Amino acid sequence: MNHIVTAQDAVTAFADFMEPTDAELEAIEREMPVILADVDLLDAYIVTLDRTPTELDERRIRRARRRALAARVAMVNRVAGASLHGGAA
């Protein structure tokens, strides 16, 4: 007789020891403006998937692309500023 059992690792894939650390949560929080800007950009693209983009759609995509780029630049500047110790380089 063959017994059918579940794989314990698959059932408890998200055990307590697999929770994100505080450092990982802080990194996600720092990257959240970039993530949200990327979501806005994807939303702008998704709207135009089933139709020809109008002028308004093109403007929305351009604005979203600029916001995503600005969010990335701001994040890089924060990281670069944090890595510089004691003033201008």
Side-chain angles (χ1 to χ4, degrees):
M1 172 182 243
N2 293 334
H3 295 285
I4 299 173
V5 294
T6 60
Q8 189 65 23
D9 290 337
V11 173
T12 59
F14 296 103
D16 291 337
F17 64 88
M18 295 183 73
E19 292 293 321
T21 64
D22 289 339
E24 291 170 333
L25 291 173
E26 288 174 14
I28 293 169
E29 190 66 32
R30 281 191 306 270
E31 292 177 16
M32 191 55 67
V34 174
I35 294 167
L36 294 175
D38 285 344
V39 168
D40 288 342
L41 180 58
L42 286 172
D43 285 343
Y45 281 130
I46 288 169
V47 167
T48 62
L49 282 178
D50 61 346
R51 66 175 188 206
T52 304
T54 64
E55 178 64 30
L56 184 62
D57 293 331
E58 291 174 5
R59 281 191 232 160
R60 182 177 181 212
I61 291 171
R62 280 195 306 268
R63 279 194 308 267
R65 192 178 298 139
R66 283 194 299 266
R67 279 192 300 264
L69 181 60
R72 281 188 175 80
V73 167
M75 184 179 71
V76 167
N77 287 339
R78 280 193 306 270
V79 170
S83 66
L84 293 178
H85 299 289

